[in-house]
Structures are given as structure tokens and as C-alpha cells.
């Protein structure tokens, strides 16, 4: 049965090979691919166009600005309308791949009043998912069949204290969750990289915590028609060839990316970081986790394709409920 997979950040390092793998190997899936800039002036979007060119009847590119909640709402409404009208098949998956970080300069706030890293990585994706739950299709043609599918968000070893070499400040959810969305930026002027990476890690930690809460929400009796939708968070590994290492990062990290991490990736994986891999390998795994039958019905936290558990904050049920409630409140502003 035909279905649609929505992928945000579709011109990113991981997304490009993931989309090629999806369209090449899973012929029943239509792909809606979002990018911030869909114009011909963006070289990464041009790479995306080249990948989907043999699959024009099964893939489309749409603009989506995750730094603007009104853009997210408009996009979600338009996509839901297209699905209702039959223009495209119902959803079977949402892959929340887009991300943002800033390790090089002073942080800023979006027009919605939220710190940009947190809004793009967490809030906008949460809003998008909430808008589109009713646009998932049933598992079969029976009228009583509940909606079915998979929501994929992204974790990182950065959410586990002490696990990432860029960590300077351990990632832990603050008592006042408003500090996530509207942090005091006064300290950043002395350490853009340290605090920028901390904000990135916290945005991922909030997302993973929210993922656990989302699964509980989908299993509530009043959501019986959604009970076969599951959510997973995946750490796809540390990508040696990711453009992230060269975007909004200080010169030292860009230098290391070009002359150490990329050329020595296989050696570093064997000797230092077993999670280091290429974007192509990671992208294929993300698609397999999303659509392959062996992962049907699974939920929770994955490192690569191995199921495990998120960090302590994320599995604390009180914190899950608090992050869920706050996210709903933030997204309704």
C-alpha cells in the first residue's frame, strides 16, 4: 500500500544518501522532502534534486522554515490537506532530521522568542508531529484499523554526560524548563563553543525525553486510533564527513574536520570512537529503522540499529511529563 515519508532537512549530509536508499529500494513510498531554501542557488538542494530526478513521480521538495512556528503550522496544514484530498498518500513515517547548532558566535532568538537551536531541533519538530498524527494511514484497508507508522527523531552521544569530546558542560534538564527555550545568554560571550554545544545537547535531550512521552500519549485510551504509531530516537553515529563540522563552528573544528576526521575516519573508529561512520552508512540505517519490517512496532532509544535506553533524565517519567506539557505550551504560543 502506497504511503508517504516526510523528511525534514532533506538536503543534509545524512539525508541525501538516506533519500537515495529509500527511493531506490522501497518503491511503494512517496517522499515529501523539506528544505529551508528550495531555490537553485542552494548547492545542497541541487544535489537533492539530482538524487530524486529519476523518481519524480514519487518525490517532491517543499520549503519549510523551522525557525518560524507559523511556517510550520502553514506547512502542516497544507500537507494534511494534500493527504486528505488524495494528492499524495497518507503518512507512514516522519523523519525529523533537520538540525541547527551554533558553536562559533553569539546565539540568537527566533521571531517566536525561542533560542534558535532549541526551536529548530525540538519545538518545531514536536509541533509538526502533533499536527500530522491524524494524517497517518491505517495499516490495512479495514475500516477499524488504527493509524500506523513510525516517527523518528534524532539523539546523539552528546545527551549522555561524559560521552562526547566536545562536551564542556554536562547535559542535564534544568529544574526550570523555560531555561531550555529562553536561556540566559550572558555566559556565552566567554565560551561560544562550550555553551553552544551544551545548548545543542540539551535540545537533543529534550527531544529524546519528549519521544518517550509521545509514546505514552499514543497509547492513551482516547488515542486508540493512533496506538499503532510508534516513536523512536536514534543516535546515527558521529559522521566523519558531516557538513555540520564545518557549519557554524570555530576554525579549529573546521580544520580538524578537513585534515583529521574525514581522512582518518576509519582509523579513528577503530582506535577512538566506535560510533564514527560515514553519512552514507548512517543514512541507510535510518531508513531501515524507519521502514523495515524487522523494526515494526518498536519504540524507544536506538544507538545505530541496537535498541537501548536514553540517559537518566530522559527515562524519568516525571521529567517526561514535564517536558511534554511544556512543549505543548511552547508550541501553542
Amino acid at each position: 500500500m502506497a504511503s508517504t515519508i516526510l523528511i525534514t532537512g532533506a538536503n543534509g549530509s545524512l539525508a541525501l544518501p538516506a533519500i537515495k536508499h529509500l527511493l531506490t529500494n522501497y518503491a511503494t513510498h512517496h517522499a515529501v522532502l523539506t528544505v529551508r531554501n528550495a531555490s537553485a542557488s542552494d548547492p545542497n538542494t541541487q544535489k537533492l534534486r539530482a538524487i530524486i530526478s529519476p523518481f519524480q513521480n514519487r518525490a517532491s521538495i517543499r520549503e519549510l522554515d523551522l525557525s518560524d512556528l507559523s511556517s510550520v503550522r502553514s506547512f502542516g496544514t497544507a500537507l494534511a490537506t494534500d493527504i486528505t484530498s488524495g494528492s499524495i498518500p497518507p503518512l507512514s513515517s516522519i523523519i525529523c532530521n533537520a538540525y541547527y547548532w551554533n558553536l562559533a558566535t553569539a546565539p540568537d532568538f527566533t521571531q517566536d522568542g525561542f533560542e534558535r537551536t532549541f526551536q529548530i531541533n525540538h519545538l518545531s519538530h514536536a509541533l509538526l508531529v502533533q499536527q500530522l498524527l491524524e494524517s497517518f494511514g491505517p495499516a490495512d484497508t479495514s475500516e477499524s484499523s488504527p493509524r500506523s507508522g513510525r516517527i523518528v527523531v534524532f539523539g546523539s552521544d552528546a545527551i549522555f554526560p561524559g560521552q562526547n569530546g566536545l562536551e564542556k558542560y554536562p547535559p542535564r534538564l534544568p529544574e526550570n524548563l523555560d531555561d531550555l527555550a529562553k536561556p540566559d545568554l550572558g555566559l556565552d560571550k566567554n565560551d561560544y563553543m562550550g555553551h553552544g554545544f551544551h545548548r545543542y545537547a540539551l535540545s537533543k535531550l529534550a527531544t529524546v525525553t519528549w519521544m518517550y512521552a509521545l509514546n505514552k500519549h499514543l497509547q492513551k485510551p482516547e488515542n486508540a486510533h493512533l496506538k499503532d504509531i510508534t516513536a523512536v530516537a536514534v543516535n546515527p553515529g558521529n559522521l566523519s564527513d558531516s557538513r555540520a563540522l564545518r557549519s557554524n563552528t570555530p576554525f579549529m573544528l573546521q580544520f580538524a574536520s578537513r585534515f583529521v576526521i574525514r581522512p582518518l575516519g576509519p582509523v579513528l573508529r577503530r582506535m577512538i570512537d566506535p560510533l564514527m561512520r560515514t553519512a552514507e552508512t548512517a543514512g541507510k540505517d535510518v531508513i531501515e529503522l524507519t521502514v523495515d519490517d524487522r523494526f515494526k512496532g518498536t519504540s524507544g532509544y536506538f544507538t545505530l540499529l541496537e535498541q537501548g535506553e536514553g540517559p537518566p533524565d530522559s527515562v524519568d517519567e516525571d521529567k517526561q511529563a514535564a517536558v511534554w506539557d511544556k512543549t505543548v505550551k511552547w508550541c501553542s504560543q
Side-chain angles (χ1 to χ4, degrees):
M1 188 164 60
S3 67
T4 294
I5 294 180
L6 170 63
I7 304 176
T8 67
N11 59 3
S13 299
L14 181 148
L16 292 174
I19 292 162
K20 183 176 181 179
H21 182 69
L22 170 68
L23 295 174
T24 302
N25 295 282
Y26 294 94
T28 61
H29 292 289
H30 181 96
V32 172
L33 310 170
T34 78
V35 297
R36 185 178 57 83
N37 180 3
S39 73
S41 64
D42 189 306
N44 298 310
T45 301
Q46 289 303 93
K47 292 177 183 177
L48 176 60
R49 292 190 193 282
I51 287 171
I52 70 171
S53 61
F55 312 97
Q56 287 295 331
N57 61 327
R58 293 172 43 218
S60 61
I61 298 173
R62 304 190 184 195
E63 281 196 348
L64 172 60
D65 183 359
L66 292 168
S67 68
D68 180 355
L69 293 180
S70 66
S71 172
V72 177
R73 293 187 185 98
S74 296
F75 174 86
T77 298
L79 184 61
T81 300
D82 287 346
I83 291 171
T84 300
S85 70
S87 298
I88 59 174
L91 289 172
S92 62
S93 299
I94 300 174
I95 302 178
C96 301
N97 170 70
Y99 99 103
Y100 175 83
W101 70 1
N102 182 3
L103 314 187
T105 63
D108 65 330
F109 288 82
T110 68
Q111 64 183 28
D112 298 298
F114 301 114
E115 192 275 318
R116 186 174 299 273
T117 300
F118 190 75
Q119 177 164 331
I120 291 175
N121 294 356
H122 175 59
L123 288 184
S124 288
H125 280 125
L127 175 59
L128 191 63
V129 168
Q130 290 169 18
Q131 281 191 284
L132 292 172
L133 287 174
E134 299 292 342
S135 295
F136 277 75
D140 55 51
T141 56
S142 119
E143 291 185 5
S144 60
S145 180
R147 301 180 190 279
S148 175
R150 175 68 45 79
I151 295 160
V152 180
V153 299
F154 283 75
S156 166
D157 62 0
I159 68 177
F160 293 87
Q163 293 299 304
N164 191 290
L166 295 180
E167 177 191 304
K168 193 169 181 180
Y169 310 101
R172 295 187 178 90
L173 293 174
E175 288 297 321
N176 181 2
L177 292 178
D178 283 320
D179 290 342
L180 293 170
K182 301 181 180 183
D184 178 359
L185 304 182
L187 298 175
D188 281 65
K189 63 182 180 180
N190 297 318
D191 188 4
Y192 290 145
M193 184 168 173
H195 288 289
F197 187 78
H198 186 229
R199 286 193 305 278
Y200 167 79
L202 288 176
S203 72
K204 294 293 186 180
L205 178 56
T207 293
V208 172
T209 306
W210 176 85
M211 175 274 301
Y212 283 113
L214 174 60
N215 279 312
K216 290 184 171 67
H217 175 76
L218 293 168
Q219 295 303 311
K220 288 183 176 180
E222 62 267 31
N223 295 325
H225 65 300
L226 302 175
K227 68 182 182 65
D228 288 344
I229 301 174
T230 59
V232 298
V234 58
N235 172 8
N238 296 318
L239 310 187
S240 59
D241 53 349
S242 173
R243 296 198 311 270
L245 298 173
R246 307 184 298 279
S247 177
N248 296 328
T249 57
F251 174 77
M252 56 175 262
L253 191 54
Q254 297 178 35
F255 181 90
S257 170
R258 181 176 179 182
F259 295 107
V260 180
I261 299 173
R262 290 167 66 190
L264 299 179
V267 175
L268 295 173
R269 180 177 185 179
R270 289 195 299 270
M271 299 182 64
I272 299 175
D273 183 0
L275 295 183
M276 185 165 287
R277 62 224 297 255
T278 65
E280 181 176 6
T281 303
K284 290 179 179 178
D285 278 358
V286 168
I287 294 302
E288 294 304 303
L289 181 60
T290 303
V291 302
D292 193 277
D293 284 344
R294 64 191 158 132
F295 299 107
K296 187 176 181 179
T298 57
S299 62
Y301 194 82
F302 284 75
T303 299
L304 309 188
L305 293 179
E306 295 296 322
Q307 189 161 19
E309 187 172 78
D313 275 4
S314 71
V315 297
D316 182 310
E317 293 192 355
D318 290 338
K319 292 182 179 179
Q320 291 170 9
V323 169
W324 177 267
D325 290 344
K326 266 294 185 182
T327 298
V328 171
K329 182 178 179 180
W330 286 323
C331 290
S332 65
Q333 292 182 205

